[in-house]
């Protein structure tokens, strides 16, 4: 059995990078991290962190700086393995640091200069961590990014298959689950196919992928489903404009439909995800209000999605903008109805996070004062203002086995909150500043070619400036995050209902069946 500690030897690795050139030093650090992982050596891992800190003081090229973030993430992964966490532990400090370092590597200017294999490893490792924490939607997108770089990258293929299999098991729609399990089976099989690329032996991983493939095949008639399921020959709308819109939504994975996470499949071009069946106490009368609440959040999302689409694809000057007198401030601002649509889309999408917090406070009966509810804080015990101690997780969520709910918790870590010291998203504070200026101050959007477009004002000033293109990219990111959050919410409720009442409804209680709201009733003059 491996021994963890200062006395554990690290063979064939230099523990001193003094005098080494930058590239040689980084290579040695990588070997030290790998050897420390094999030996489960805390001492070796700590030494690797110290060497990375030493290297950081040097003037290193952007490519090596991005690679150093990747190596630091691997060192945090060592600490995670040495800690022997309960896999259902919600708070994992090492995992959080690993995710942050992988994101720093991705966002670094040197990332594009890395070897494609390293880029694939970064995407895959981040996807694996996301999937483990319950953020399986973002995980699938990251595995796909790795496979776009190298379609034969075996670890991305196999882990994607495992992730899709877990995703399928969390769905309440059996038809969707079958489609996803077939995709999972195909991904797992391709991970062992001839030509699949691995940067090492990886025999245990391949064996695990085989076991997962066999498990699906033993429970699902994969060949039958593959023959009978039609993924592509589905209508995208009644006219050319609607078809363009739905195609754009599919490409950007913005449909409220889990099958859209498999790619731009025509079968996924409808917003069919709702809340699953819910059991409520017999003392309640009428339809539970949380169903209407989810309906409203979903409607706000799809409206924000179209506002964004319409704003970025608008051509010409809208008649509502004609004759509106505005002064020329000589900084090339972006003024138009189209711009306001993208701004409104950002605000609508961002507002959904706190609404999800209100939903969970009610549904899970957390008993938090509504004036104190926020998406970031509802998971933690209350704390006095300016208390320097870290906030503690509510006992309700410690080791709680609701995977999509844990995904919401970890997604909340991407949002900035001044009451929390840590955040997993390097751009979180920037998104929060943009939202605050949209709601309360002056967000200056500039045309892309404007000299001041790339310059940002201080967040303490009245105005905060960025280019229209930069803002659109951030707004799309918020849309994708809010869409993921709503899907996690629906599946978390499904998991909660199964834990509370089992997989079969209680036949002793009455059942209420709800019709769907007819599309013709959505007319503005109805």
């Amino acid at each position: 059995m491996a021994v963890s500690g200062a006395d554990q030897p690290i063979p064939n690795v230099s523990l001193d990078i003094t005098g080494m050139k930058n590239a040689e030093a980084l290579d040695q650090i990588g070997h030290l991290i790998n050897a420390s992982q094999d030996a489960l050596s805390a001492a070796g891992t700590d030494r690797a962190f110290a060497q990375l800190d030493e290297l950081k003081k040097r003037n290193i090229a952007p490519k090596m700086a991005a690679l150093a973030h990747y190596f630091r993430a691997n060192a945090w992964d060592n600490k995670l393995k040495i800690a022997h966490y309960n896999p259902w532990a919600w708070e994992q400090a090492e995992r959080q640091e690993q995710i942050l370092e992988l994101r720093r590597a991705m966002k670094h200017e040197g990332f594009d200069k890395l070897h494609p294999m390293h880029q694939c490893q970064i995407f895959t490792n981040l996807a694996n961590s996301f999937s483990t924490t319950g953020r399986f939607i973002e995980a699938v997108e990251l595995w796909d990014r790795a496979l776009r770089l190298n379609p034969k990258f075996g670890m991305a293929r196999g882990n994607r298959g495992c992730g899709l299999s877990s995703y399928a098991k969390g769905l309440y729609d059996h038809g969707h689950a079958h489609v996803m399990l077939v995709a999972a089976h195909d991904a797992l099989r391709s991970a062992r196919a001839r030509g699949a690329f691995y940067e090492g032996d990886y025999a245990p991983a391949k064996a695990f992928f085989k076991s997962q493939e066999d498990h699906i095949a033993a429970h699902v008639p994969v060949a039958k489903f593959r023959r009978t399921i039609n993924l592509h020959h589905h209508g995208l709308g009644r006219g050319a404009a609607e078809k363009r819109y739905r195609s754009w939504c599919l490409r950007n994975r913005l449909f409220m439909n889990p099958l859209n996470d498999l790619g731009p499949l025509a079968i996924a071009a409808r917003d069919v995800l709702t809340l699953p069946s819910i059991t409520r106490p017999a003392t309640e009368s009428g339809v539970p209000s949380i169903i209407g609440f989810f309906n409203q959040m979903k409607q706000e999302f799809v409206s924000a999605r179209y506002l964004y689409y319409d704003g970025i694809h608008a051509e010409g000057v809208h008649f509502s903008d004609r004759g509106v007198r505005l002064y020329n401030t000589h900084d090339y601002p972006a003024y138009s109805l189209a711009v306001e649509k993208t701004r409104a889309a950002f605000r609508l999408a961002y507002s959904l996070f706190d609404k999800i917090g209100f939903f969970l406070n009610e549904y899970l009966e957390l008993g938090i004062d509504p004036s104190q509810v926020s998406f970031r804080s509802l998971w933690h015990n209350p704390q006095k203002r300016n208390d320097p101690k870290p906030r503690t997780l509510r006992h309700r969520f410690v080791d709680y086995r609701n995977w999509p709910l844990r995904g919401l918790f970890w997604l909340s870590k991407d949002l900035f909150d001044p009451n929390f010291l840590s955040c997993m998203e390097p751009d979180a504070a920037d998104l929060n500043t943009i939202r605050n200026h949209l709601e309360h101050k002056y967000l200056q959007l500039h045309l892309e070619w404007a000299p001041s477009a790339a310059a940002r004002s201080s967040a303490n000033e009245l105005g905060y400036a960025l280019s229209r293109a930069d803002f659109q990219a951030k707004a799309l990111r918020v849309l994708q995050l809010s869409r993921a959050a709503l899907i996690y919410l629906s599946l978390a409720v499904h998991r909660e209902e199964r834990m509370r009442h089992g997989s079969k409804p209680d036949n002793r209680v009455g059942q209420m069946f709800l019709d769907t709201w007819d599309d013709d009733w959505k007319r503005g003059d109805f």
Side-chain angles (χ1 to χ4, degrees), residues 15-203:
L15 298 180
D16 187 2
I17 61 171
T18 304
M20 291 184 181
K21 294 183 178 179
N22 292 340
E24 182 185 5
L26 193 57
D27 186 58
Q28 283 297 311
I29 293 171
H31 285 304
L32 176 58
I33 292 170
N34 291 339
S36 299
Q37 182 179 90
D38 293 339
L40 287 179
S41 171
T45 300
D46 289 341
R47 183 59 185 161
F49 274 115
Q51 291 180 353
L52 285 166
D53 290 341
E54 181 182 339
L55 189 66
K56 190 175 181 179
K57 298 175 184 177
R58 301 185 186 182
N59 182 23
I60 60 176
K63 174 182 175 180
M64 283 190 286
L67 196 59
H69 284 301
Y70 169 57
F71 285 176
R72 193 178 289 271
N74 290 342
W76 280 115
D77 187 55
N78 286 3
K79 282 188 169 288
L80 190 68
K81 289 181 171 64
I82 293 167
H84 297 296
Y85 268 117
N86 173 353
W88 276 105
W90 277 37
E91 286 285 20
Q92 299 181 17
E94 292 86 355
R95 174 88 60 196
Q96 184 166 318
E97 293 296 331
Q98 178 197 29
I99 289 173
L100 183 57
E101 289 298 334
L102 288 168
R103 283 175 149 178
R104 285 171 175 161
M106 284 173 51
K107 293 176 182 293
H108 200 281
E109 61 176 320
F111 180 78
D112 291 339
K113 299 180 175 63
L114 292 177
H115 190 280
M117 186 185 74
H118 281 136
Q119 294 179 344
C120 286
Q121 288 170 329
I122 290 169
F123 286 139
T124 301
N125 288 359
L126 182 55
N128 295 347
S129 284
F130 272 178
S131 183
T132 297
T133 60
R135 297 183 65 176
F136 41 89
I137 292 172
E138 295 109 313
V140 174
E141 193 273 335
L142 285 162
W143 285 315
D144 287 349
R145 289 178 72 175
L147 291 171
R148 284 197 293 271
L149 277 174
N150 182 353
K152 297 182 179 180
F153 198 71
M155 290 301 288
R157 285 181 175 184
N159 281 293
R160 182 177 183 272
C162 293
L164 290 176
S165 177
S166 298
Y167 192 168
K169 293 172 185 176
L171 298 176
Y172 63 81
D173 185 301
H174 295 303
H176 284 181
H178 290 154
V179 173
M180 199 162 285
L181 283 170
V182 170
H185 181 272
D186 291 348
L188 288 162
R189 184 173 59 180
S190 72
R192 299 183 305 102
R194 179 177 297 179
F197 171 76
Y198 292 87
E199 64 273 24
D201 179 40
Y202 283 85

Side-chain angles (χ1 to χ4, degrees), residues 275-284 286 288 290-291 363 365 493-494 496-512:
L275 283 182
S277 298
I278 294 176
T279 301
R280 305 300 286 176
T283 55
E284 290 191 11
I290 59 170
I291 295 177
Y363 174 70
E365 300 177 337
V493 170
H494 177 52
E496 189 71 19
E497 291 294 313
R498 289 175 65 89
M499 290 193 294
R500 290 179 181 180
H501 310 291
S503 59
K504 296 181 180 179
D506 189 342
N507 293 324
R508 296 171 299 174
V509 301
Q511 297 185 16
M512 177 182 292

Side-chain angles (χ1 to χ4, degrees), residues 130-392:
F130 272 178
S131 183
T132 297
T133 60
R135 297 183 65 176
F136 41 89
I137 292 172
E138 295 109 313
V140 174
E141 193 273 335
L142 285 162
W143 285 315
D144 287 349
R145 289 178 72 175
L147 291 171
R148 284 197 293 271
L149 277 174
N150 182 353
K152 297 182 179 180
F153 198 71
M155 290 301 288
R157 285 181 175 184
N159 281 293
R160 182 177 183 272
C162 293
L164 290 176
S165 177
S166 298
Y167 192 168
K169 293 172 185 176
L171 298 176
Y172 63 81
D173 185 301
H174 295 303
H176 284 181
H178 290 154
V179 173
M180 199 162 285
L181 283 170
V182 170
H185 181 272
D186 291 348
L188 288 162
R189 184 173 59 180
S190 72
R192 299 183 305 102
R194 179 177 297 179
F197 171 76
Y198 292 87
E199 64 273 24
D201 179 40
Y202 283 85
K206 294 175 185 177
F208 180 72
F209 297 154
K210 176 66 165 62
S211 70
Q212 295 299 297
E213 177 190 344
D214 292 344
H215 180 77
I216 294 174
H219 294 85
V220 175
V222 175
K224 174 184 175 182
F225 285 142
R226 191 182 290 111
R227 288 195 307 270
T228 58
I229 294 172
N230 185 344
L231 301 178
H232 301 285
H233 296 95
H234 295 265
L236 292 181
R238 300 177 181 177
E242 184 179 354
K243 291 176 181 178
R244 286 193 298 270
Y245 169 62
R246 293 188 179 276
S247 296
W248 175 86
C249 292
L250 284 174
R251 292 194 303 273
N252 288 281
R253 304 189 188 201
L254 286 173
F255 274 109
M256 289 290 295
N257 188 327
L259 298 186
N260 198 185
D261 293 312
L262 298 178
L265 307 175
I267 193 176
R270 293 293 183 274
D271 297 294
V272 297
L273 185 105
T274 59
L275 283 182
S277 298
I278 294 176
T279 301
R280 305 300 286 176
T283 55
E284 290 191 11
S285 61
V287 179
S289 59
I290 59 170
I291 295 177
F293 191 8
F294 188 88
N295 279 351
Q296 182 60 39
M297 288 191 290
K298 181 176 176 181
Q299 181 61 54
E300 289 177 15
F301 168 76
V302 299
S303 298
R305 182 181 68 193
Y306 183 75
L307 284 171
Y308 177 86
Y309 170 83
D310 202 34
I312 66 172
H313 290 95
E315 297 180 356
V317 177
H318 193 269
F319 63 80
S320 68
D321 288 322
R322 296 196 186 108
V324 178
R325 180 175 295 180
L326 301 171
Y327 287 111
N328 183 358
T329 53
H330 301 288
D331 53 358
Y332 306 100
Y335 292 131
S336 69
L337 175 63
V339 171
E340 293 309 308
K341 286 180 178 179
T342 60
R343 293 160 69 105
F346 188 107
R347 291 197 299 271
L348 267 174
Y350 205 110
S351 72
L352 289 171
F353 299 119
D354 282 342
K355 291 179 181 179
I356 289 172
F358 279 100
F359 182 103
L360 289 171
N361 185 43
E362 170 68 21
Y363 174 70
L364 297 176
E365 300 177 337
L366 299 178
I368 306 173
D369 183 335
S371 66
Q372 302 299 316
V373 172
S374 77
F375 185 50
R376 184 74 200 268
S377 67
L378 74 94
W379 317 97
H380 299 86
N381 290 310
Q383 191 170 5
K384 293 181 179 179
R385 186 182 295 273
N386 300 324
D387 188 337
K389 297 191 297 295
R391 293 199 173 204
T392 56

